Each structure stands twice: as structure tokens, then as C-alpha cells.
Amino acid sequence: MSDNRGVVYMGAGKVEVQDIAYPKMETPNGRPIEHGVILKVVSTNICGSDQHMVRGRTTAPQGMVLGHEITGEVIEKGKDVEFLDIGDIVSVPFNVACGRCRTCKEGHTGLCLHVNDDRAGGAYGYVDMGGWVGGQARYVMVPYADFNLLKFPDRDQAMNQIRDLTMLSDILPTGFHGALKAGVGAGSTVYVAGAGPVGLAAAASARLLGAAVVMIGDFNPKRLEHARKMGFEPIDLNKHDRLGEMIAAVVGEPSVDSAIDAVGFEAVGHGGKEQPAVVLNQMMEVTREGGSIGIPGLYVTEDPGATEKAAQTGSLSLRFGLGWAKGHSFHTGQTPVVQYNRQLMQAILHGRLNIAEIVNAQIISLEEAPKGYEEFDAGVASKFVLDPHGMLGAA
């Protein structure tokens, strides 16, 4: 079998769908393995994190196959795979994790010590994350399959709800992680920075956790209008740079219990100029004393496109003394998807979480991926789901 095609990064601003190699049961350095499976990709999503690479804001090499949000059908398995069968429909956490090292055993699967020769943590189709081939393709190999994969309990039910379930690989657990680490609970007031898909997933998660009010700030009018339609309070950052005043107009005071950064290192300030620390500084300004800040937004160690020289090596101009004085708790890093995906699956299957509607999921074919990247980068209020085999009804 060799009819594999995938989305390939071609340099700053460009991706192409090309013929790529059919996956092998081996590690990125060529070591054969028997604990993996090969999936026929049912759905695979374009993520904002992919856009950072495509915009040339990382050190991603040309020729990399992209994609870390994957749902698929098991079509081959190694002899060490015990608990999965051919034909199972599974969700793939974006973290590549061994399940055996110290950090995996502690539940920190985003920091696995055995899947990346250069640093802790691995992911599919992502720069500096171990070289694992991405899943925006027709077929993909997943290692340590028994540990990593979440099997859906009923195939027909899974396919009927696949637009929602496809969000379990990354953005829904990531949004939930951000909300949970921001201390969201019953009656919380919450501010989410960023009305893109992760911000909407964080807002939906905050609501699931019992928040009294969830505000979402952004400059994009279409994304703010969609957030409003989904029942969240839009904060139009185009008005002025006094975020506390806009929050006070909603909740009666210029602060919140919990704040979530769903923007990351490409943040811009009120005047449209890139300010990589602006969101983090705003979080500290508007979070109450003793409050918590969840940071699922991506920050990198190398940003060749940064306008500030210090930011090119991940150094940001943080007003950290303010956060210290207010006793804030901060939580950063990759989301350990396996901590949350089973519970969130149950919330979807039992009608508690209409995440596809909330992030405005739009199904397109694999061949339309370049157009999806272009529209997403332009700020469309949608989450693009690729349909490599036409199993989801893409035109």
C-alpha cells in the first residue's frame, strides 16, 4: 500500500498536499517497534499551533508532514499491541508518550522522557517534538498504542458524532486544561484571551466546570460575534487598552477569578503591534488577588520572526512582580491529553458538550488543506477538519 498523501510544510507561508511515504512501524531514527499501530486517518484538524510553523515563526524544516490532531481507524498493529483490534476507531492524543518513564507515570504525558532525543515531550508533525510524522495525511503510525490511544466504545456512535469527537485529540483537552489550571469552578468569573478555537474550547470548558460568566477578548469581529452566539460575553479589544474597564462593564468589577491565555507568543497589543508578553501582563492585571492563570497558549524557545530581539530566544518582558505581589498561580506547558480525553468523550457522547458547534467545525477534503490554512490564517471564525478518505461527507 503506497497511496499516502499528506500536508507538507514548504517554507514560510506555504503548505502543499503531496505524495508521502506509507508509514512504517519504526521510530523517527529507524528503530523497528512492535507496540505501534497504523491508522487510516478518519479526521485530522488544522490547529493554530500549526499556523505558527507555517508563518515561519519557528525553526520547522521544509518538508515536514504536519498534523497532530488525529482520529483514525486501526488497520495494522504490532505484535505487542494487546488491547486494540483492527477496525477500532480511536482518538490520538497529540502528545507522543511512552507511558513508562517517570513523567508519564506521574501523568505528565506532555513531558515524556523517551520519545524525543533533544528535550522532554513529543508530538506528531511538530518542530522540535521528536520527528514523529504528522497526521494530516491518509495514514499515520502511532507508537505505544495501548497507552496512547482512546478507543471509542461504539463505532457507529463515534462516526455519528465524529465532528465533536475529533476535537479530543488536542483543542478540547487543551482548553479544559487551561480552565482547570486557572481554578475555574462553580460561580467563577472567567476571562479568556483569544476567540479562536482553543479560546472557545477553554470557554466551553469553563462553562462545563460551572463558571458564572465567561468573557472572551479578541480583535476579530467575526470571532467575537460567533462567541456571542455561543453564549459567551465578547470583549472587543479594538475599543481601547483598558481591559479592566471592559471586564467591569460585564461583572461590576475590573477583575476576574480566573484568566486563560489562549493566544500565545504571537500576541498583539491595542495598536496592532506585536507584543509577545501583552496577554500575560494583562492576565496579571485583571486576575484578582489569589487567583489563577492558565496558559494553554503556545510559547516557544526560538522565534526567528519575533520583532523583539529578546523574544527570538523566548525571553519576554513580563511584569512578573505584579503577579507575585497578587499571589497568582500560573500553569504552562503542553496539555497531558490522556488526563482528560476519556471524561470529555463521555461529556460529548451524553450530550453535555457540543464542541463542534462551539468552535464552528467545517469539514474539508485533504486536498483543500492549503485553502484551509490560508483562510484560518486570515482569521475566519472556523475550525477546519480534514477528511482524507471522504468518510465525513466532505465535497
Side-chain angles (χ1 to χ4, degrees):
M1 189 180 297
S2 59
D3 62 331
N4 200 14
R5 287 176 66 75
V7 179
V8 179
Y9 172 59
M10 301 301 294
K14 187 176 181 181
V15 298
E16 291 183 0
V17 180
Q18 300 180 354
D19 292 336
I20 61 173
Y22 188 78
K24 297 179 180 179
M25 292 281 198
E26 62 182 30
T27 64
N29 60 15
R31 179 173 59 84
I33 59 174
E34 291 291 346
H35 49 65
V37 299
I38 292 175
L39 300 181
K40 177 181 179 180
V41 177
V42 173
S43 62
T44 176
N45 317 328
I46 297 175
C47 179
S49 297
D50 299 321
Q51 292 285 14
H52 295 308
M53 290 188 290
V54 174
R55 284 194 287 260
R57 297 301 297 268
T58 72
T59 55
Q62 293 185 28
M64 172 182 283
V65 180
L66 301 176
H68 57 273
E69 300 190 14
I70 310 162
T71 305
E73 176 185 358
V74 178
I75 59 171
E76 297 180 38
K77 67 176 190 175
K79 65 182 181 182
D80 293 339
V81 177
E82 299 183 66
F83 307 114
L84 294 165
D85 296 314
I86 303 300
D88 286 345
I89 305 294
V90 294
S91 179
V92 184
F94 77 89
N95 322 108
V96 181
C98 72
R100 305 168 184 180
C101 68
R102 175 181 178 176
T103 51
C104 282
K105 288 179 179 179
E106 292 173 345
H108 304 303
T109 52
L111 297 168
C112 179
L113 303 176
H114 291 161
V115 295
N116 187 340
D117 292 337
D118 297 320
R119 64 170 73 179
Y124 304 90
Y126 211 84
V127 61
D128 296 328
M129 289 287 103
W132 302 92
V133 177
Q136 286 175 11
R138 291 171 60 83
Y139 304 95
V140 70
M141 193 279 292
V142 175
Y144 304 104
D146 279 331
F147 176 74
N148 283 307
L149 295 178
L150 174 66
K151 175 183 173 180
F152 297 136
D154 182 88
R155 180 189 176 94
D156 292 339
Q157 182 186 33
M159 293 305 298
N160 285 336
Q161 295 181 260
I162 197 67
R163 292 176 70 252
D164 294 292
L165 294 171
T166 191
M167 306 304 168
L168 290 171
S169 55
D170 180 2
I171 68 160
L172 181 53
T174 293
F176 188 85
H177 182 65
L180 195 68
K181 295 303 180 180
V184 178
S188 295
T189 56
V190 182
Y191 174 71
V192 180
V198 172
L200 290 165
S205 298
R207 189 158 60 190
L208 184 69
L209 288 165
V213 59
V214 182
M215 294 160 279
I216 305 183
D218 207 299
F219 294 99
N220 186 317
K222 292 182 180 179
R223 288 183 171 183
L224 288 171
E225 175 59 18
H226 179 70
R228 185 194 64 77
K229 289 179 180 178
M230 294 299 104
F232 308 116
E233 293 285 344
I235 301 294
D236 186 355
L237 301 178
N238 294 293
K239 292 181 177 180
H240 53 72
D241 62 359
R242 300 180 300 280
L243 179 58
E245 288 185 17
M246 291 185 276
I247 286 174
V250 178
V251 297
E253 57 183 354
S255 62
V256 294
D257 298 314
S258 304
I260 304 166
D261 174 3
V263 176
F265 72 101
E266 288 192 68
V268 296
H270 177 66
K273 179 183 177 181
E274 188 167 299
Q275 298 175 245
V278 66
V279 171
L280 294 172
N281 286 327
Q282 287 177 335
M283 300 284 97
M284 290 184 279
E285 290 175 10
V286 303
T287 302
R288 67 169 175 84
E289 291 78 0
S292 297
I293 300 171
I295 310 173
L298 177 66
Y299 289 86
V300 294
T301 55
E302 294 182 82
D303 176 9
T307 56
E308 298 178 8
K309 185 174 181 180
Q312 293 176 7
T313 55
S315 297
L316 307 182
S317 299
L318 288 176
R319 195 182 173 194
F320 192 70
L322 177 61
W324 191 95
K326 295 174 77 172
H328 288 156
S329 296
F330 301 83
H331 196 94
T332 67
Q334 282 191 38
T335 296
V337 171
V338 296
Q339 287 191 26
Y340 309 117
N341 60 354
R342 185 174 299 277
Q343 301 94 308
L344 292 169
M345 175 188 73
Q346 295 291 3
I348 289 170
L349 294 178
H350 293 279
R352 292 290 310 281
L353 195 51
N354 57 326
I355 190 62
E357 179 185 10
I358 290 170
V359 302
N360 194 23
Q362 302 294 320
I363 297 171
I364 61 175
S365 70
L366 181 66
E367 302 298 324
E368 294 175 294
K371 181 180 178 182
Y373 270 92
E374 182 179 342
E375 292 185 5
F376 192 22
D377 192 47
V380 67
S382 299
K383 171 75 171 178
F384 288 108
V385 177
L386 305 181
D387 181 9
H389 292 275
M391 299 175 72
L392 313 181

